Amino acid sequence: MADYALFLGCNIPNRLPHLELAARKVLPKMDINLIDIPEFGCCPEPIGIQELSRDAWMAMAAINLCLAEEKGLDIITLCNGCFETLRTVNTELKNDGHHKEKVNKVLSKIGKEYKGTQNVKHVLEVLYNDIGVEKIKANVQKELKGIKIAVHYGCHVLRPSAILKTDDPFQPKSLDELVNALGAESIPYLRKMLCCGTGIEGIDKENQLWMVHDKLVQVERMKADCMTMLCPLCYIQYEMGQLQLKKEPYKAQFKVPIMYYPELLGLALGMDPSELGFKLHRVKVDPVLQKIQ
Amino acid sequence: MVLDKEKVVRVRDTKFLDDVIEIGEKIFPEIDKVRTCIQCGTCVGGCPSGRRTAWRIKTLFQKAMIGLKEEVLDTDDLWCCTTCYTCQERCPRGISTTDTVRVIRNVAFREGYAKKNHLFVCSLLFKFGHAVPINEPVKELRKKLGLSELPPTVHSYPEGLKEVNAICEKTGFKEIWEKQWKKAQEAQK
């Protein structure tokens, strides 16, 4: 059993509690022990905060890293945004003495010091690199046979690849393999690497929804049963986006269930759907659940 | 961007790019590579935002190079990059394109051009410690799911909030933010 400090971030506990439930129930079944650190706050947000003041952003992220260091735990993140922030800051502070000195000077005000002893991992990395596809395959109780899944990675788990080093920046395969390991089929589709557009949501909502639209059109064209992803921000865009796209000027009727990967994993490990928070999905997932039964 | 009809003469600040690089170099050591941009357009070709919005990253760099400071900083376009890093991965010159945009946005914030939504996110962070704080309906949902009503984060640990605010004051971030936030709220009235 590997111990990890669970970094929940903002969107999962405060907007999508069913994703938190899925992570807490399913990941321990794969020998990932999640430990809460209640002092954790915002990562902070890599677009809104970093774009205004990178110095403050870095120092705030360093507080979170220090908390994990005090407990001697590596951090596991459930969100691409948290991952980008914490991995980037951790890498830069570890490799650049100038940054480290500057941040520690700020941190001294609250009696903390960054040392650089711990790592930050995305749940995708933990599942793919540490647990491995073979072990997941061996634990599957109920194969998700015949389910066609459109995989969406999200930008900030892959890029900038020079710092994140998770998978190929344009032709990743980790999540596809994890989906195939459950007996489901990861289908190819156009615009697979298209960004969900969260970063411009507050500036140009209309065009951001068009970006969501462009992707969903392709997913539906390939007759996918559902989409899966490992980022709550992408999740919100594609799920809430489908409701918003019903209005003018889009007038689009999408019905693509959005599944968080740990939910699919839970189903494949034999969990009953009632144990997971499927009721909270804004786009009904019943067609997928019926196909599995 | 709609150009002001009275603004026929474009004001050039030839030192603008030097200033951006001077600030940026402290963060990203190779930021000065932006000077080697050949305007090939690889960045714009793969840009997911540019498929739909008017955002053209190479145009931004060109404007920065010839010193059109206000046209770079005072527009919505600057904030239309989703920071997906596609262009940074592909740039044949190896320019840290997205990182450069981030530095220019930092400059825009310092000079008072930040957008209201970004300032609003900061206000939530200072108040709650989360950029997306909890609300009553989600508290109910959490209880129904068998989770703790408040998540085990800074929401249930107010000491952490004090630390975040102390750090933001120390770095000077809060001071710059307060001025602009006040201005943005007055403009709304």
Side-chain angles (χ1 to χ4, degrees):
Chain A
M1 204 85 164
D3 289 348
Y4 285 99
L6 174 63
F7 196 89
L8 285 168
C10 298
N11 279 289
I12 289 191
N14 300 338
R15 286 291 175 275
L16 306 165
H18 50 301
L19 306 196
E20 181 181 337
L21 182 80
R24 284 189 192 279
K25 285 205 166 168
V26 178
L27 298 181
K29 286 185 194 289
M30 294 314 301
D31 292 344
I32 301 166
N33 192 22
L34 304 173
I35 296 169
D36 285 320
I37 298 186
E39 291 94 329
F40 276 158
C42 187
C43 56
E45 211 249 308
I47 300 171
I49 313 293
Q50 181 179 192
E51 311 295 58
L52 301 190
S53 167
R54 204 169 192 275
D55 293 340
W57 170 78
M58 214 167 190
M60 280 187 268
I63 301 179
N64 292 321
L65 296 169
C66 287
L67 291 166
E69 283 179 0
E70 284 163 18
K71 297 262 165 33
L73 294 168
D74 283 348
I75 291 177
I76 187 170
T77 75
L78 305 176
C79 162
N80 287 7
C82 302
F83 176 67
E84 189 205 4
T85 293
L86 297 174
R87 170 70 70 88
T88 305
V89 173
N90 201 27
T91 310
E92 281 185 16
L93 292 181
K94 267 187 189 176
N95 297 334
D96 190 325
H98 166 71
H99 281 315
K100 190 172 158 184
E101 202 179 303
K102 210 165 101 186
V103 162
N104 272 334
K105 216 169 139 192
V106 178
L107 288 179
S108 67
K109 188 160 168 85
I110 56 167
K112 286 199 176 348
E113 192 197 349
Y114 172 85
K115 297 190 184 71
T117 53
Q118 302 304 325
N119 295 317
V120 176
K121 288 181 182 177
H122 192 283
V123 60
L124 175 66
E125 282 181 300
V126 175
L127 287 170
Y128 187 72
N129 297 337
D130 299 354
I131 308 292
V133 172
E134 289 309 315
K135 192 174 167 192
I136 289 176
K137 250 186 209 167
N139 278 285
V140 169
Q141 307 267 325
K142 190 188 237 168
E143 286 206 331
L144 310 183
K145 270 264 178 303
I147 309 276
K148 290 204 257 178
I149 299 179
V151 168
H152 171 80
Y153 283 84
C155 302
H156 293 155
V157 68
L158 303 170
R159 298 184 294 269
S161 59
I163 288 183
L164 302 182
K165 295 193 176 96
T166 36
D167 203 335
D168 188 284
F170 294 114
Q171 282 154 352
K173 55 180 177 30
S174 45
L175 190 51
D176 296 87
E177 285 184 21
L178 288 172
V179 163
N180 291 337
L182 309 180
E185 183 197 355
S186 160
I187 54 161
Y189 64 102
L190 211 62
R191 309 267 171 264
K192 185 169 174 175
M193 299 312 290
L194 183 62
C195 169
C196 73
T198 291
I200 61 167
E201 196 190 359
I203 305 296
D204 192 343
K205 183 71 190 167
E206 185 181 335
N207 281 316
Q208 188 260 330
L209 276 173
W210 277 121
M211 287 167 70
V212 171
H213 175 276
D214 289 350
K215 184 157 202 150
L216 289 170
V217 165
Q218 300 301 337
V219 171
E220 209 157 66
R221 208 178 117 214
M222 294 306 288
K223 301 197 167 50
D225 291 298
C226 66
M227 267 177 96
T228 193
M229 54 201 67
L230 271 165
C231 173
L233 289 157
C234 302
Y235 179 102
I236 290 174
Q237 297 314 330
Y238 290 116
E239 197 175 65
M240 287 301 291
Q242 292 185 49
L243 308 183
Q244 290 159 334
L245 284 168
K246 287 192 170 57
K247 295 177 198 138
E248 291 281 355
Y250 317 99
K251 289 265 178 206
Q253 302 290 334
F254 292 113
K255 270 187 193 147
V256 184
I258 310 295
M259 301 283 247
Y260 191 51
Y261 180 78
E263 291 179 325
L264 289 173
L265 181 58
L267 291 173
L269 294 179
M271 285 172 79
D272 193 80
S274 62
E275 286 181 73
L276 299 161
F278 286 118
K279 274 187 201 152
L280 298 193
H281 283 247
R282 306 292 288 267
V283 177
K284 290 291 153 234
V285 297
D286 301 346
V288 181
L289 298 180
Q290 276 160 16
K291 235 177 167 174
I292 294 170
Q293 293 305 319
Chain B
M1 190 180 74
V2 183
L3 276 178
D4 190 342
K5 275 182 191 157
E6 286 171 13
K7 229 189 255 174
V8 184
V9 182
R10 289 175 157 185
V11 184
R12 281 182 61 185
D13 175 354
T14 46
K15 269 191 84 255
F16 176 58
L17 191 63
D18 295 340
D19 293 345
V20 167
I21 289 172
E22 200 190 317
I23 294 166
E25 262 176 344
K26 290 177 196 145
I27 308 171
F28 306 106
E30 293 191 337
I31 205 94
D32 63 328
K33 274 194 186 167
V34 67
R35 293 188 202 276
T36 68
C37 172
I38 48 172
Q39 293 284 311
C40 69
T42 305
C43 47
V44 173
C47 178
S49 172
R51 287 166 53 83
R52 288 292 185 178
T53 68
W55 166 242
R56 301 290 179 265
I57 187 167
K58 80 179 179 105
T59 311
L60 181 96
F61 289 161
Q62 195 172 33
K63 281 180 178 169
M65 277 177 198
I66 58 176
L68 298 175
K69 180 176 171 179
E70 233 175 283
E71 279 187 37
V72 169
L73 299 183
D74 189 14
T75 109
D76 275 358
D77 288 359
L78 173 61
W79 305 92
C80 275
C81 166
T82 66
T83 70
C84 75
Y85 281 98
T86 306
C87 54
Q88 182 154 324
E89 298 281 346
R90 288 178 178 169
C91 177
R93 285 288 205 180
I95 299 170
S96 302
T97 49
T98 314
D99 290 340
T100 308
V101 172
R102 293 208 135 129
V103 172
I104 295 177
R105 285 177 176 178
N106 269 220
V107 173
F109 172 63
R110 282 187 210 185
E111 308 246 336
Y113 295 108
K115 293 289 158 200
K116 208 184 144 228
N117 278 313
H118 291 89
L119 298 169
F120 175 64
V121 169
C122 295
S123 76
L124 295 174
L125 182 69
F126 295 143
K127 202 168 167 192
F128 301 104
H130 278 293
V132 182
I134 199 154
N135 54 27
E136 290 304 320
V138 178
K139 276 189 200 169
E140 283 305 310
L141 289 176
R142 290 185 61 88
K143 273 198 280 186
K144 270 186 201 158
L145 288 176
L147 296 165
S148 57
E149 183 176 345
L150 285 174
T153 64
V154 68
H155 269 321
S156 41
Y157 183 75
E159 275 301 303
L161 183 59
K162 279 186 204 154
E163 291 180 355
V164 167
N165 278 286
I167 292 293
C168 291
E169 273 160 29
K170 176 89 179 158
T171 50
F173 176 44
K174 209 166 173 183
E175 199 184 330
I176 307 175
W177 169 82
E178 254 164 5
K179 271 186 214 151
Q180 294 192 48
W181 181 235
K182 261 189 206 152
K183 215 171 87 187
Q185 280 182 314
E186 272 162 25
Q188 204 181 21
K189 282 174 197 167

